[in-house]
Amino acid sequence: MHDLAFIRSHPGEFDAGLQRRGAEPAADRILALDARRREVTTRLQEAQSRRNEASKAIGQAMGKGDTETAESLKAEVAQIKQAMPALEEEDRALGAELHDLLAALPNIPAEDVPEGADENANVELSRWGTPRSFDFDPQEHADLGPPLGLDFETGTALSGARFTFLRGRMARLHRALGQFMLDHQTGENGYTECAPPLLVHEEALFGTGQLPKFAEDNFQTTDGRWLIPTAEVSLTNAVREQILEDAALPLRMTALTQCFRSEAGAAGRDTRGFIRQHQFEKVELVSVTRPEDSAAEHERMTQAAEGVLQALDLPYRKMLLCTGDMGFTAQRTYDLEVWLPGQGAYREISSCSNCGDFQARRMAARYRPDGEKKTRFVHTLNGSGLAVGRTLVAVLENYQQADGSVAVPEVLVPYMGGVTRLEPQP
RNA sequence: GGACAGGUGGCAGAGUGGUCGAAUGCAGCGGUCUUGAAAACCGCCGAUGCGCAAGCAUCCGUGGGUUCGAAUCCCACCCUGUCCGCCA
C-alpha cells in the first residue's frame, strides 16, 4: 500500500517507479480521486462540526431550562442533517474506490534494481561452490527418487497432481532437513522460533499482499479462512496493528511450516517431480526493522539463507531480481538458485525480499522512534531459509551415486539417527 | 455446542444519555530537589485523517439502529473468561 502523501508530493517519481515495473501510471487517477474525496470529506466535516456545536448548545439550553431555545436549535440541526447522509455515502464510496485502487498497485522497485521484463534480466551477483563432476550421467530427482521412497504415484492417487507421499528414509531426510534448517536459523542467526497458525483471516493475506490480487493462487476454507501460502503471512502479520517500542527492533522470527499454493498460474510448469507442489514445507525468515536498518538486514537475511546451502555444501548462485521478476510487495529481492546436476540448471531455492514499509502500511504496523512523539511504519523483510522440498531435490541430485543410492550430507547425519545413505528398495 | 459474565488509553480500572477522547493508579517523558541515584513534589503523556498553523473531524471489540446529542440505550456479529458437554 502506497503513501498518499508521497504520491501527492512526488507524482512523477511515483509513476516512473510503476512504469519500471511494467505497470500503468496511476498518479493522475489517484490524485483526482483523492482531491474529490477530500473535498467531500471537508464538506461532511463542516456539517458535523456545525451539528456538534448546535447539539452542545441544546444541552446548555436545556440545562438552564430554556426549552424555547432548545427547540429552535433542534430545528436547525434537523436542517443541517438533511445533507449529511448523501455526503457520508459519497465519502465512503470515494474512500473505498481510492483504497481499492491503491491496494492493487505493486511496490516501487529500489533504485539499484535492474530493469527488465522477466527472469532473463536478473543479474547474477555471485556463485558459491563448485558443481561436482560425475563419472556417470547424473539423474533427475524425479527418476532417482522413487526407488528411494519419493512416491509420486501414491501422492497423486490420494490427492491428485502436485502431491507426493514420502516413505522411509526419504521421509526422514525430509524431516531432517527441516529440523536442521530451523536449528541453524535459531542457533546461528538469532531468529526466534515460532509455530504460527496455518489458517488465517483474510486481513492477514491482505497485509502481506496476497489479497486482493492473488486470491486464485491460494486455498480458502469453507468458513472463510485461508491456508497460508508461506509462513511470511503468519509471521509478518504477527505485528499487524501494533505500535512497537524502538528497543524491540529488529524483530527476527522463523518458522518451519507447511505452505499451500493452488499454483493456478503454473499449469504445465514443473508438473514432474517435487519442485512445484500444492503443499510443501519451508523454513521462513521474517524481520521487522527500523526503516534505516532494512537494507543491512536484507543482506544479513540473505546470508542466513546462504548459510544453509553452504552447510549442506550445495553449489548455488545469488541473483538480484529485475523489476519484472519481483513479487508484488518487494522493493528489492535476492534469489538463491541451487545447482541441480540432474537438470543441469540452477533453480530457485530461496527468495529474500525487502518490502520497505509497503506491508507495514497495509497492516498498520508501526513503531515509536526513541524520543519521538510520532509513530513511523516499520520495514518488513522475508526470505526462505530454505524451501525444504526443493532442498531435498538438491540433496538427491547433488549427492547421488552411480548405484542409485544417495549419500546423506554430513551435517544431516545426526538428524538421521546416524544413517549415512539412502539405498534403493527393489 | 450450551449457560452465564465481560470487551474503555502501554497496563490496571472508573464512567450507564449532554461541555467525556474519557477520572484515578501504574508505567513512560520533562523538571525541582540531590555529589549522583532513589524517594518526594510539579508538569506532560492515546491513535488516525485534513491543515503552514490555529484548529476541525473520526475512533471506547466490529457493523447497523434510536436520539438534537451515544463509551452510555437497542439489534446482529466477533472475541475473551468461567462452568458444562465434546475432542487430540
Side-chain angles (χ1 to χ4, degrees), chain A residues 23 31 45 58 66 83 87 99 105 126 138 146 169 172 182 190 235 244 246 250 252 291 301 312 315 318 324 361 392:
Chain A
L31 293 180
Q45 290 188 356
I58 292 170
D66 185 351
L87 283 173
H99 176 269
L105 295 173
S126 63
R169 287 180 177 177
R172 177 87 188 241
L182 195 55
L235 296 180
L244 299 162
D246 191 280
R252 298 192 176 105
M301 175 179 279
L312 292 168
K318 180 174 160 185
R361 287 179 186 282
L392 182 73

Side-chain angles (χ1 to χ4, degrees), chain A residues 17 23-24 33 46 52 65-66 69 81 91 95 125 136 150 175 191 234 251 292 314 347-348 362 384 389 418:
Chain A
E24 294 293 311
L33 246 181
E46 278 166 1
N52 291 347
D66 185 351
T69 307
K81 280 181 65 178
D91 187 54
L125 297 177
F136 59 96
L150 197 60
R175 176 161 63 93
Y191 285 86
S234 305
L251 234 49
E292 62 269 28
L314 292 168
R347 292 299 305 259
E348 178 188 341
R362 296 170 84 95
S384 358

